[in-house]
Amino acid sequence: MKKYLAITGGVGGAKLALGLTKILSKSEVAFLVNTGDDFEHMGLSISPDLDTLMYTLSGLSNVELGWGRGGETWRCLDAYKKLGGDSWFSLGDEDLAVHLRRTEMLKLGSSLSEVTADLFRHLGVDYSCWPMSDKPVRTQIETEAGRLEFQHYFVRDRCEHVVKSIHFVSSSVAYPTNNLLRYLEDPDLCGIIVCPSNPFLSVDPILSVHGLKEALIASKVPIVAVSPLINGQAVKGPTAKIMKELRLVLSPVSVAAHYQDFINGFILDESDAEHAVEITKSGMSVVTAQTLMASLDDRINLAQTAVNMCDELRGH
Ligand code: GDP
């Protein structure tokens, strides 16, 4: 059997993750998810990227909003606001049930991996989806307005502040989970796919976990990343804005360079084909494909391209 690992953040990554689940069974693919965005709010433990993946794979996601659950109601949040509670982070009624359950289980002593497996199973997702660590790592953004917790920067202040640097607090004392380490040693593992997530806010926190990047490299399987930039622009979110603020050239070449020390292959959008030669010069293989995932077929086709690239690189 051939097995793959996919590394993902929230919305962009979950699109490709869904495609992967349409071509690979639950024993053929597992997902490693960013938890640097996790935070405590309204007294609850919230894991936005894990939940985005859970709602996407279970078919429960809110397609119009692009976050949360479809068909949500907001009665609890409305009542909470009337009591003077903070309302900058919108949590729907059914979504709240997930955070209540996660918080309860964590308080009773379960690890985040155990809680995640339980929540996914109850919502009908059979695939292995693992937090990057069971220990908390918190992304903080150093901005011109001072250092901000990730969700304050991202949701409350709508990414308006100019980013100076990004920090992953406690990553040096957070370790990869045993699930991941076992999977990386599985002789059936054929490739690792870095989904088109934000390299700085979604993928870097995962790589910051102590020893995780080294474990990925030590697995000796091809590691292939999909560009989150199309035609020099992000499809959604602050990737392009952050790249400019970090004084990076707004091009997939910069993304490939950012990943250069651990990937072997890069999937470039066909509209950026002109950059293929330059990226190849850094020693990695490049494939061009349609990477905009508007439909389910687009997700499936891109997933197949990524799997094929892993297989080809492994064959060499
Ligand atoms: P977040 O955690 O919810 O911000 O989501 P991610 O970090 O997983 O994804 C954000 C990135 O996904 C952005 O850089 C987008 O450009 C990228 N993205 C979103 N949709 C697509 C798509 O259809 N194709 C590609 N190639 N990238 C996408």
Side-chain angles (χ1 to χ4, degrees):
M1 187 196 299
K2 288 184 184 171
K3 294 187 177 183
Y4 303 85
L5 175 75
I7 296 180
T8 178
V11 177
K15 285 187 186 174
L16 186 62
L18 181 65
L20 287 164
T21 63
K22 301 295 177 192
I23 59 168
L24 299 169
S25 70
K26 62 180 178 183
S27 34
E28 293 170 322
V29 65
F31 299 94
L32 181 64
V33 186
N34 172 39
T35 56
D37 303 6
D38 289 15
F39 71 126
E40 286 72 41
H41 185 62
M42 294 165 73
L44 302 173
S45 299
I46 301 178
S47 297
D49 285 357
L50 281 169
D51 289 346
T52 295
L53 185 64
M54 180 168 71
Y55 294 151
T56 302
L57 297 187
S58 60
L60 292 172
S61 60
N62 190 322
V63 186
E64 290 89 53
L65 283 179
W67 50 268
R69 291 173 76 140
E72 265 293 13
T73 53
W74 306 91
R75 294 189 59 177
C76 182
L77 190 70
D78 288 343
Y80 183 76
K81 277 188 223 169
K82 285 186 189 139
L83 296 171
D86 253 344
S87 61
W88 58 269
F89 199 87
S90 297
L91 295 169
D93 295 329
E94 290 195 273
D95 191 29
L96 272 166
V98 167
H99 311 311
L100 281 169
R101 182 69 182 135
R102 175 184 295 115
T103 307
E104 176 185 37
M105 290 183 74
L106 288 172
K107 284 217 168 114
L108 289 172
S110 297
S111 67
L112 184 59
S113 292
E114 289 165 343
V115 176
T116 302
D118 193 71
L119 291 172
F120 275 66
R121 188 168 52 80
H122 276 97
L123 292 189
V125 182
D126 255 354
Y127 285 82
S128 299
C129 299
W130 302 317
M132 63 193 203
S133 178
D134 280 327
K135 291 255 185 280
V137 175
R138 294 292 178 257
T139 300
Q140 289 183 351
I141 317 288
E142 192 68 49
T143 74
E144 290 189 347
R147 193 181 269 229
L148 297 171
E149 298 291 340
F150 177 78
Q151 296 297 347
H152 286 164
Y153 162 78
F154 195 70
V155 176
R156 190 193 64 190
D157 299 347
R158 297 166 201 271
C159 310
E160 68 182 24
H161 304 294
V162 174
V163 173
K164 296 203 310 201
S165 56
I166 301 168
H167 303 267
F168 309 115
V169 177
S170 303
S171 62
S172 61
V173 288
Y175 300 93
T177 64
N178 288 335
N179 285 332
L180 174 71
L181 296 177
R182 263 196 305 273
Y183 197 76
L184 290 175
E185 284 176 1
D186 189 324
D188 288 339
L189 185 69
C190 285
I192 299 172
I193 297 162
V194 181
C195 291
S197 288
N198 185 315
F200 312 95
L201 298 180
S202 292
V203 180
D204 278 357
I206 299 177
L207 300 176
S208 79
V209 170
H210 189 91
L212 194 151
K213 188 178 188 177
E214 293 73 14
L216 296 179
I217 296 169
S219 72
K220 299 246 167 43
V221 297
I223 308 181
V224 164
V226 180
S227 175
L229 294 185
I230 298 182
N231 206 3
Q233 288 301 320
V235 179
K236 195 171 173 278
T239 308
K241 179 175 182 283
I242 290 175
M243 287 179 75
K244 278 192 222 151
E245 291 166 0
L246 295 177
R247 298 182 203 290
L248 294 166
V249 177
L250 194 51
S251 147
V253 179
S254 306
V255 178
H258 187 70
Y259 289 151
Q260 190 180 337
D261 62 345
F262 83 106
I263 66 169
N264 317 95
F266 195 71
I267 300 179
L268 192 62
D269 190 77
E270 50 202 11
S271 65
D272 292 310
E274 72 206 74
H275 298 299
V277 174
E278 196 179 343
I279 297 175
T280 328
K281 280 186 199 150
S282 63
M284 63 181 85
S285 299
V286 176
V287 159
T288 53
Q290 184 198 315
T291 71
L292 183 65
M293 294 176 280
S295 66
L296 180 59
D297 277 349
D298 295 339
R299 289 160 169 75
I300 294 171
N301 291 338
L302 187 57
Q304 193 62 60
T305 302
V307 166
N308 291 348
M309 189 175 193
C310 288
D311 291 351
E312 262 165 44
L313 290 175
R314 190 158 165 79
H316 287 159

